[in-house]
Amino acid sequence: MSTQNKKIIRDVGDGLLMRHGLPEDGEALALFFGEQLGDGGLATRDGQGLAAMTRDLFSSRPHISLTPNDFTIIEETSSGRIVSAMCLIQQTWTYEGIEFGFGRPEYVATHPDFRRRGLVSAQFEVVHQ
């Protein structure tokens, strides 16, 4: 995929770009999250469950409130591989009749070779906006 088709948010340095997700990122994100987060929780021991859940978010019957644009992805420009990613599930909540926006970060992961570089913090800056 060429850079011009990607929704670039910013250059985070060291040959890494942060961008929003696109529909065609579904399989790569499924594999990434399955590998990085697949040893507990809702995922099976080898990450297949989490990978399947991620694929469902990008399927022809997408999630009711989550779109590919709700994912932030940091990719290595030299290889195009995903090295860190997360999503923000946006919702509207009500308290005593007052509606307000609420966001819940999910699927937060960074490849071990890219940890301790502030990549997750950079993504949180974006979702806090």
Side-chain angles (χ1 to χ4, degrees), residues 30-48:
L31 294 173
F32 176 75
F33 288 129
E35 290 171 3
Q36 302 306 315
L37 302 174
D39 60 351
L42 295 174
T44 59
R45 185 175 180 91
D46 62 356
Q48 290 178 0

Side-chain angles (χ1 to χ4, degrees), residues 56-75:
D56 283 347
L57 295 173
F58 286 85
S59 72
S60 59
R61 47 180 211 295
H63 190 274
I64 190 167
S65 63
L66 189 68
T67 70
N69 194 59
D70 294 317
F71 285 82
T72 54
I73 295 171
I74 297 183
E75 73 175 39

Side-chain angles (χ1 to χ4, degrees), residues 5-124:
N5 294 334
K6 297 178 181 178
K7 301 174 183 180
I8 305 297
I9 299 168
R10 71 178 191 222
D11 185 326
V12 293
D14 296 325
L16 305 174
L17 289 177
M18 184 189 317
R19 64 180 178 84
H20 286 290
L22 295 167
E24 53 267 31
D25 290 318
E27 184 61 21
L29 280 169
L31 294 173
F32 176 75
F33 288 129
E35 290 171 3
Q36 302 306 315
L37 302 174
D39 60 351
L42 295 174
T44 59
R45 185 175 180 91
D46 62 356
Q48 290 178 0
L50 185 56
M53 288 170 41
T54 305
R55 281 185 194 96
D56 283 347
L57 295 173
F58 286 85
S59 72
S60 59
R61 47 180 211 295
H63 190 274
I64 190 167
S65 63
L66 189 68
T67 70
N69 194 59
D70 294 317
F71 285 82
T72 54
I73 295 171
I74 297 183
E75 73 175 39
E76 183 177 48
T77 56
S78 63
S79 66
R81 76 176 172 148
I82 296 171
V83 300
S84 185
M86 68 181 294
C87 75
L88 180 69
I89 299 172
Q90 299 181 56
Q91 300 172 330
T92 301
W93 286 18
T94 304
Y95 180 76
E96 293 190 3
I98 300 170
E99 289 188 353
F100 59 95
F102 180 83
R104 190 177 79 211
E106 291 284 345
Y107 293 88
V108 180
T110 299
H111 187 280
D113 293 346
F114 293 85
R115 292 183 183 159
R116 300 194 183 279
R117 296 187 189 189
L119 301 180
V120 170
S121 294
Q123 291 173 85
F124 268 102

